[in-house]
Amino acid sequence: MLSVWEKSSTARVVAPARPRKLAKVPFVELADGRLQGVVSSGSDIGRVYVSSISAGTYAFACSTNNNRPCGGARGTFCNHLRALVTEAVLQYGAERVARYLKVETAQEPDAATLLGTMTQTRPAQGDTSAAAPVFSRFLRHLAYLELPPTTAPLPEMQWFPTTRAAA
Amino acid sequence: MVPDDEGGCLMRTDLLGEPIEGLDEALAAVDAFDAVLTDGLLRPRPAQAEGLDRLAEAVAGTPLAARVAEAAGKAAAGAAGEEHFLALAAARAALLGSVHDALATRVDEATGRPKPAGAPDRQEPSPEPASTLSAAARSWLCDLARSGWRGLDHDLAAGAAPVVSAMLPDTLLRRQAALLDGFAAELAASCPGATLERVPERRWADLWMRSLLLTLPGAAPAPATTPATGRLLPLGVDLQEHATAVQAQVHAVFEPSDGGAPRLVRAAASAPKPDTVVGAGLWQLLRPHLSLLAAAGEGRAMELDAMPLTDEGDLLWDEAHARPADEADPFATARVVLPTSTAAATAPLDRHPVRIAVPILLEGYAVRAEEGGPTELELAGHRLAVDVDRLPAAGPLTAESVARSRACIGLLRWDAGRFTVQPLAAETVVRKKAVAVHAGAWAGGTADKAGTRAEKAATDAVAGLRERAGRLLRK
């Protein structure tokens, strides 16, 4: 017997993102087996860092959009990676981030325990080959702001009711 | 004649809980097929062949019979091609179409309103060229059916992205693009499929079926319209969203200036969006394109002058054909005009239970809301569940205001085997005066304290993103 959720056309599968300030970390996503995103440089407004942490191994990488390595990400997480985790927890909730990265914590996870648990395993520094695709995903994400709205009805959106349950 | 004092009480909620003949059988065939998609059709097992047979048997008495039987056979042998998957999707759509029709008939009996106008004449699909984008989408969807939800991985889920990116700028492909984008995002968030605790079988089979049918040339033709001139009285706002798209639909009663019978209509605005635009940010995106949102929020009517109106009751909103009119209380509209309003017929492809969204007025109920349990309205001993989860986050209407209410305007819906009501507005009594709270009250903007804070946060978020976009997109 299937439960009601499995027989629902409008079952909620993904909770919408929780609102957060975007100035410091304009883009965060759980995709391609990584927590990845774009972090604004603290010193140069024209520069951003592309940061990522792999699920399971926590292998990390951080470099600029021009592929220069981040000076802080040597041996352990830099401030960009810490900001990435903090903002991901704001956007998706700590539980979903923990599940995706395969981090097991003793108590209810938060950004600090996630960071602590991951750095304790002394994760390896990954290569920065993901930087280009992550950055292009960020640009694709930004391009959504430029797409024209329409007043022709989209009947398919009936499958996507709004929900009060944020991530 | 409808007595003035108890217009809403005519709602026969007792009928909504009664079984509908043939419904369970049709849904059982749908469920059997949906289970087949969970395991995929790469290497079908005997149980899956059985599920495919159930679907084929259910449409055996229809013109689809031969094609579906053949498709079921091919799929059971692990040899289904695109045309076979299309036939299976069509069979599933036909079954759900019959479920929709049975439910819609029941809703008409319960509301006691005039029956919808007959189905519009079937339009001959305009001879659209087969698009390469649709072909690419179809190929991805067939791969999904082969791998099954249990076989999902990141590469497969990401396969739709290039198609969606290419479709989005073309507003004529927006229906397909918005659907594929929302569907693919859910699949990506659910990878790997092998370790999923549970699978939303009905939902993903719905999205798969719908996406596949929309890839057919002429599946979503530009609808025929007639000019609508008269007064538009808003009832409420329904908000729909996924991570990267939003649509607001205003449900309203249209009173033609030629004295014709009032009609139930809708007007919508939709937009693609970044996933970080949420809450009040959704209203901000849509507000400039649908002045009706502000009118609905402020309780005003609008005058329409030759606004295009489709046979399905959708106004194709164009600001040039609308201007603000006098105040119009939605509860007055619901009490006085709604009972005699006629709904439009549903387009053939849209006949699916998810499409049922019928404006109703409920009064004289008792609210049953146990701690942590569902909210239900009890009318004459019959209970109707309230879908409080569908209330927009950026709006003043909450489950608590519904629980305190003595009357509400809502959309009657059906999902997962039962009818529910989605509140659009609730009327409470404060110091012997009726006070109405509307779900879409902040759609056009707000002076409310919490609302203003939400507006500011949303403005800042979008400004931050635009600043980044301005710097980085031009490089």
Side-chain angles (χ1 to χ4, degrees), chain B residues 206-234:
Chain B
D206 271 358
L207 299 179
W208 175 83
M209 166 192 82
R210 184 74 169 189
S211 306
L212 199 53
L213 294 179
L214 280 186
T215 66
L216 289 171
T225 63
T226 47
T229 300
R231 201 158 68 120
L232 189 65
L233 306 161

Side-chain angles (χ1 to χ4, degrees), chain B residues 56 67 80 84 149 175 189 226 236 263 270 278 324 340 343 363 368 418 444 463:
Chain B
R67 288 183 66 175
H84 304 121
W149 315 130
R175 284 177 60 180
T226 47
R263 299 179 58 180
S270 64
V278 291
T340 57
E363 293 184 282
R368 309 270 172 231
R418 62 171 189 166

Side-chain angles (χ1 to χ4, degrees), chain B residues 52 57 196 304:
Chain B
L52 291 161
E57 277 164 25
L196 278 177
L304 305 185

Side-chain angles (χ1 to χ4, degrees), chain B residues 4-395:
Chain B
D4 280 345
D5 56 342
E6 51 175 318
C9 298
L10 293 180
M11 179 84 194
R12 292 273 314 269
T13 38
D14 57 319
L15 291 176
L16 300 179
E18 280 180 21
I20 296 175
E21 202 192 327
L23 197 80
D24 289 347
E25 289 83 347
L27 289 172
V30 169
D31 289 340
F33 175 73
D34 294 355
V36 170
L37 284 185
T38 295
D39 291 320
L41 286 163
L42 206 54
R43 280 177 292 275
R45 289 172 295 103
Q48 288 172 283
E50 221 169 276
L52 291 161
D53 279 344
R54 292 279 298 278
L55 181 69
E57 277 164 25
V59 296
T62 75
L64 286 169
R67 288 183 66 175
V68 176
E70 188 206 341
K74 289 278 184 192
E82 288 189 358
E83 72 276 26
H84 304 121
F85 286 124
L86 273 167
L88 295 172
R92 189 181 182 278
L95 283 177
L96 285 162
S98 70
V99 170
H100 166 276
D101 294 355
L103 292 168
T105 303
R106 177 57 54 89
V107 170
D108 289 341
E109 290 164 5
T111 62
R113 288 205 293 261
K115 291 224 179 308
D121 286 340
R122 236 193 74 164
Q123 281 179 353
E124 279 307 309
S126 45
E128 289 174 45
S131 109
T132 52
L133 285 175
S134 285
R138 193 154 58 234
S139 158
W140 177 69
L141 291 160
C142 291
D143 285 346
L144 280 183
R146 292 188 186 100
S147 81
W149 315 130
R150 289 285 174 203
L152 270 182
D153 62 30
H154 288 294
D155 284 344
L156 181 56
V163 184
V164 171
S165 289
M167 282 180 172
L168 273 171
D170 184 349
T171 49
L172 292 177
L173 294 176
R174 199 49 77 66
R175 284 177 60 180
Q176 283 194 61
L179 174 60
L180 285 171
D181 209 8
F183 184 22
E186 275 185 26
L187 297 179
S190 306
C191 286
T195 60
L196 278 177
E197 273 173 38
R198 51 181 191 166
V199 174
E201 289 194 343
R202 175 81 55 83
R203 174 174 177 77
W204 283 354
D206 271 358
L207 299 179
W208 175 83
M209 166 192 82
R210 184 74 169 189
S211 306
L212 199 53
L213 294 179
L214 280 186
T215 66
L216 289 171
T225 63
T226 47
T229 300
R231 201 158 68 120
L232 189 65
L233 306 161
L235 288 166
V237 185
D238 174 33
L239 188 67
Q240 302 134 23
E241 62 170 319
H242 63 58
T244 51
V246 58
Q247 172 167 262
Q249 262 183 329
V250 180
H251 289 259
V253 174
F254 169 62
E255 290 183 319
S257 58
D258 64 8
R263 299 179 58 180
L264 271 172
V265 297
R266 298 169 299 262
S270 64
K273 69 177 189 72
D275 64 350
T276 39
V277 173
V278 291
L282 305 176
W283 300 132
Q284 289 175 358
L285 273 184
L286 302 177
R287 203 174 280 160
H289 307 279
L290 189 61
S291 57
L292 182 60
L293 282 175
E298 294 160 11
R300 273 187 293 105
M302 292 196 84
E303 287 293 336
L304 305 185
D305 180 14
M307 181 76 78
L309 174 63
T310 70
D311 291 343
E312 288 84 44
D314 288 300
L315 294 163
L316 303 183
W317 197 261
D318 180 345
E319 298 296 351
H321 297 285
R323 59 184 172 81
D326 302 340
E327 273 183 31
D329 171 19
F331 277 93
T333 302
R335 287 187 177 111
V336 180
V337 199
L338 182 60
T340 57
S341 303
T342 313
T346 304
L349 186 67
D350 287 349
R351 291 165 48 247
H352 184 289
V354 83
R355 171 63 179 61
I356 293 172
V358 179
I360 53 170
L361 172 72
L362 295 170
E363 293 184 282
Y365 47 75
V367 180
R368 309 270 172 231
E370 278 101 53
E371 185 95 13
T375 306
E376 293 177 318
L377 304 183
E378 189 176 313
L379 281 125
H382 299 278
R383 291 187 178 198
L384 184 59
V386 185
D387 193 348
V388 288
D389 195 34
R390 288 186 86 128
L391 295 170

